[in-house]
Amino acid sequence: MTQDELKALVGQAALAEVVPGTVVGVGTGSTVNCFIDALATMKDQIAGAVSSSVKSTERLQAHGIRVLDANEVESIPVYIDGADEIDHHGNMIKGGGAALTREKIVADLAQRFVCIADASKLVDALGRFPLPVEVIPMAAAQVARRFGQAYGGDARVREGVVTDNGNLLLDVRGLSITDPAAMEAEVNQWPGVVTVGVFARHKARVCLLGTPEGVKTLR
Ligand code: 5RP
């Protein structure tokens, strides 16, 4: 099976995680696009969606799915999103699609994070995928230097990308993330950091992993 077929498989499988009659949290990326297309088949059974990016909002609306502002909801039962890397404990690197800040906000509204990913995303330790970090533009160079000093990482501004929130993204290479929760807590405190793409506080409760043998559920 191709990677795209595996993404379609988990996108479809995620429908079983949707709680009928409720608002669904929807992530961003090519795997989530498969989920959104599948969700359209049950759009009359949900109360709507809270979206994590302009791109996902547009796709949801194109299917006729109502998109609510995050400020309109207090809590949602489930948030469904992809990942750039996920470890065996559900910690993730996210933000390859530049939507990490809104993804963390919607994840924070949700009672359960369900990660959908093809098998290539499962790793023993996070850090091979360059870690995305959303930063206020005037702090980009300072935060980049600090990554080098604190973790030995090589942080570069992602060229030509402005986030949905009007900020810049750094991609940090050369990291070995041995304690995701500690790194998330530390980097979040650096002035100018909006969101670090380590999802440990908001890790996945369940991962639906697309493999050539079918969908594996990791808990
Ligand atoms: C976007 C994300 C995505 O979930 C992540 O990049 C995975 O994307 P894809 O499903 O296209 O591989 O974090 O900010």
PDB file of all heavy atoms in Angstrom, residues 73-88:
ATOM      1  N   VAL A  73     -17.260  27.047  21.980  1.00  0.00           N
ATOM      2  CA  VAL A  73     -17.407  25.742  22.636  1.00  0.00           C
ATOM      3  C   VAL A  73     -16.564  25.674  23.903  1.00  0.00           C
ATOM      4  O   VAL A  73     -15.478  26.243  23.968  1.00  0.00           O
ATOM      5  CB  VAL A  73     -17.021  24.573  21.694  1.00  0.00           C
ATOM      6  CG1 VAL A  73     -17.965  24.461  20.530  1.00  0.00           C
ATOM      7  CG2 VAL A  73     -15.597  24.711  21.212  1.00  0.00           C
ATOM      8  N   GLU A  74     -17.102  24.978  24.891  1.00  0.00           N
ATOM      9  CA  GLU A  74     -16.391  24.864  26.162  1.00  0.00           C
ATOM     10  C   GLU A  74     -15.534  23.612  26.202  1.00  0.00           C
ATOM     11  O   GLU A  74     -14.460  23.577  26.786  1.00  0.00           O
ATOM     12  CB  GLU A  74     -17.410  24.780  27.292  1.00  0.00           C
ATOM     13  CG  GLU A  74     -17.334  25.956  28.227  1.00  0.00           C
ATOM     14  CD  GLU A  74     -18.430  25.889  29.249  1.00  0.00           C
ATOM     15  OE1 GLU A  74     -18.379  25.001  30.118  1.00  0.00           O
ATOM     16  OE2 GLU A  74     -19.346  26.735  29.161  1.00  0.00           O
ATOM     17  N   SER A  75     -16.053  22.577  25.570  1.00  0.00           N
ATOM     18  CA  SER A  75     -15.380  21.288  25.619  1.00  0.00           C
ATOM     19  C   SER A  75     -15.885  20.428  24.458  1.00  0.00           C
ATOM     20  O   SER A  75     -17.046  20.539  24.061  1.00  0.00           O
ATOM     21  CB  SER A  75     -15.709  20.626  26.959  1.00  0.00           C
ATOM     22  OG  SER A  75     -15.232  19.319  26.991  1.00  0.00           O
ATOM     23  N   ILE A  76     -15.006  19.620  23.931  1.00  0.00           N
ATOM     24  CA  ILE A  76     -15.422  18.684  22.884  1.00  0.00           C
ATOM     25  C   ILE A  76     -14.913  17.289  23.269  1.00  0.00           C
ATOM     26  O   ILE A  76     -13.883  17.161  23.927  1.00  0.00           O
ATOM     27  CB  ILE A  76     -14.872  19.090  21.492  1.00  0.00           C
ATOM     28  CG1 ILE A  76     -13.349  19.279  21.511  1.00  0.00           C
ATOM     29  CG2 ILE A  76     -15.562  20.347  20.975  1.00  0.00           C
ATOM     30  CD1 ILE A  76     -12.740  19.635  20.158  1.00  0.00           C
ATOM     31  N   PRO A  77     -15.642  16.243  22.866  1.00  0.00           N
ATOM     32  CA  PRO A  77     -15.218  14.913  23.307  1.00  0.00           C
ATOM     33  C   PRO A  77     -13.950  14.430  22.625  1.00  0.00           C
ATOM     34  O   PRO A  77     -13.143  13.726  23.238  1.00  0.00           O
ATOM     35  CB  PRO A  77     -16.409  14.010  22.962  1.00  0.00           C
ATOM     36  CG  PRO A  77     -17.269  14.792  22.044  1.00  0.00           C
ATOM     37  CD  PRO A  77     -16.958  16.236  22.203  1.00  0.00           C
ATOM     38  N   VAL A  78     -13.758  14.814  21.364  1.00  0.00           N
ATOM     39  CA  VAL A  78     -12.626  14.221  20.658  1.00  0.00           C
ATOM     40  C   VAL A  78     -12.005  15.196  19.657  1.00  0.00           C
ATOM     41  O   VAL A  78     -12.707  15.996  19.030  1.00  0.00           O
ATOM     42  CB  VAL A  78     -13.057  12.891  19.974  1.00  0.00           C
ATOM     43  CG1 VAL A  78     -14.034  13.146  18.839  1.00  0.00           C
ATOM     44  CG2 VAL A  78     -11.873  12.107  19.469  1.00  0.00           C
ATOM     45  N   TYR A  79     -10.677  15.128  19.573  1.00  0.00           N
ATOM     46  CA  TYR A  79      -9.922  15.904  18.591  1.00  0.00           C
ATOM     47  C   TYR A  79      -9.143  14.916  17.729  1.00  0.00           C
ATOM     48  O   TYR A  79      -8.410  14.063  18.254  1.00  0.00           O
ATOM     49  CB  TYR A  79      -8.942  16.840  19.308  1.00  0.00           C
ATOM     50  CG  TYR A  79      -8.029  17.607  18.386  1.00  0.00           C
ATOM     51  CD1 TYR A  79      -8.544  18.427  17.388  1.00  0.00           C
ATOM     52  CD2 TYR A  79      -6.644  17.511  18.497  1.00  0.00           C
ATOM     53  CE1 TYR A  79      -7.697  19.140  16.533  1.00  0.00           C
ATOM     54  CE2 TYR A  79      -5.800  18.222  17.660  1.00  0.00           C
ATOM     55  CZ  TYR A  79      -6.332  19.032  16.677  1.00  0.00           C
ATOM     56  OH  TYR A  79      -5.502  19.738  15.834  1.00  0.00           O
ATOM     57  N   ILE A  80      -9.295  15.020  16.435  1.00  0.00           N
ATOM     58  CA  ILE A  80      -8.649  14.069  15.528  1.00  0.00           C
ATOM     59  C   ILE A  80      -7.627  14.816  14.665  1.00  0.00           C
ATOM     60  O   ILE A  80      -7.966  15.788  13.983  1.00  0.00           O
ATOM     61  CB  ILE A  80      -9.710  13.333  14.678  1.00  0.00           C
ATOM     62  CG1 ILE A  80     -10.571  12.498  15.626  1.00  0.00           C
ATOM     63  CG2 ILE A  80      -9.037  12.471  13.606  1.00  0.00           C
ATOM     64  CD1 ILE A  80     -11.742  11.810  15.028  1.00  0.00           C
ATOM     65  N   ASP A  81      -6.379  14.371  14.722  1.00  0.00           N
ATOM     66  CA  ASP A  81      -5.312  15.081  14.017  1.00  0.00           C
ATOM     67  C   ASP A  81      -4.171  14.119  13.691  1.00  0.00           C
ATOM     68  O   ASP A  81      -4.050  13.045  14.297  1.00  0.00           O
ATOM     69  CB  ASP A  81      -4.796  16.241  14.889  1.00  0.00           C
ATOM     70  CG  ASP A  81      -4.009  17.273  14.088  1.00  0.00           C
ATOM     71  OD1 ASP A  81      -3.851  17.104  12.855  1.00  0.00           O
ATOM     72  OD2 ASP A  81      -3.560  18.261  14.694  1.00  0.00           O
ATOM     73  N   GLY A  82      -3.347  14.525  12.755  1.00  0.00           N
ATOM     74  CA  GLY A  82      -2.170  13.748  12.377  1.00  0.00           C
ATOM     75  C   GLY A  82      -0.973  14.118  13.227  1.00  0.00           C
ATOM     76  O   GLY A  82      -1.087  14.855  14.214  1.00  0.00           O
ATOM     77  N   ALA A  83       0.194  13.632  12.820  1.00  0.00           N
ATOM     78  CA  ALA A  83       1.443  13.960  13.521  1.00  0.00           C
ATOM     79  C   ALA A  83       2.603  13.789  12.553  1.00  0.00           C
ATOM     80  O   ALA A  83       2.502  13.048  11.572  1.00  0.00           O
ATOM     81  CB  ALA A  83       1.628  13.040  14.723  1.00  0.00           C
ATOM     82  N   ASP A  84       3.677  14.483  12.852  1.00  0.00           N
ATOM     83  CA  ASP A  84       4.903  14.293  12.072  1.00  0.00           C
ATOM     84  C   ASP A  84       5.717  13.145  12.643  1.00  0.00           C
ATOM     85  O   ASP A  84       6.373  12.412  11.908  1.00  0.00           O
ATOM     86  CB  ASP A  84       5.718  15.593  12.061  1.00  0.00           C
ATOM     87  CG  ASP A  84       4.922  16.700  11.398  1.00  0.00           C
ATOM     88  OD1 ASP A  84       4.508  16.514  10.247  1.00  0.00           O
ATOM     89  OD2 ASP A  84       4.671  17.735  12.057  1.00  0.00           O
ATOM     90  N   GLU A  85       5.661  13.005  13.961  1.00  0.00           N
ATOM     91  CA  GLU A  85       6.235  11.835  14.642  1.00  0.00           C
ATOM     92  C   GLU A  85       5.374  11.539  15.868  1.00  0.00           C
ATOM     93  O   GLU A  85       4.866  12.463  16.509  1.00  0.00           O
ATOM     94  CB  GLU A  85       7.664  12.114  15.146  1.00  0.00           C
ATOM     95  CG  GLU A  85       8.737  12.105  14.086  1.00  0.00           C
ATOM     96  CD  GLU A  85      10.150  12.281  14.655  1.00  0.00           C
ATOM     97  OE1 GLU A  85      10.308  12.653  15.838  1.00  0.00           O
ATOM     98  OE2 GLU A  85      11.094  12.076  13.895  1.00  0.00           O
ATOM     99  N   ILE A  86       5.263  10.263  16.188  1.00  0.00           N
ATOM    100  CA  ILE A  86       4.594   9.884  17.448  1.00  0.00           C
ATOM    101  C   ILE A  86       5.403   8.747  18.070  1.00  0.00           C
ATOM    102  O   ILE A  86       5.850   7.830  17.368  1.00  0.00           O
ATOM    103  CB  ILE A  86       3.108   9.495  17.224  1.00  0.00           C
ATOM    104  CG1 ILE A  86       2.450   9.091  18.559  1.00  0.00           C
ATOM    105  CG2 ILE A  86       2.945   8.380  16.169  1.00  0.00           C
ATOM    106  CD1 ILE A  86       0.931   9.079  18.515  1.00  0.00           C
ATOM    107  N   ASP A  87       5.626   8.844  19.397  1.00  0.00           N
ATOM    108  CA  ASP A  87       6.362   7.760  20.050  1.00  0.00           C
ATOM    109  C   ASP A  87       5.382   6.771  20.690  1.00  0.00           C
ATOM    110  O   ASP A  87       4.160   6.945  20.608  1.00  0.00           O
ATOM    111  CB  ASP A  87       7.410   8.309  21.048  1.00  0.00           C
ATOM    112  CG  ASP A  87       6.783   8.927  22.314  1.00  0.00           C
ATOM    113  OD1 ASP A  87       5.584   8.701  22.584  1.00  0.00           O
ATOM    114  OD2 ASP A  87       7.521   9.634  23.038  1.00  0.00           O
ATOM    115  N   HIS A  88       5.912   5.755  21.330  1.00  0.00           N
ATOM    116  CA  HIS A  88       5.046   4.680  21.851  1.00  0.00           C
ATOM    117  C   HIS A  88       4.241   5.110  23.077  1.00  0.00           C
ATOM    118  O   HIS A  88       3.382   4.371  23.541  1.00  0.00           O
ATOM    119  CB  HIS A  88       5.896   3.436  22.150  1.00  0.00           C
ATOM    120  CG  HIS A  88       6.465   2.817  20.901  1.00  0.00           C
ATOM    121  ND1 HIS A  88       5.801   1.852  20.175  1.00  0.00           N
ATOM    122  CD2 HIS A  88       7.602   3.079  20.211  1.00  0.00           C
ATOM    123  CE1 HIS A  88       6.513   1.523  19.108  1.00  0.00           C
ATOM    124  NE2 HIS A  88       7.623   2.262  19.109  1.00  0.00           N
TER     125      HIS A  88
END
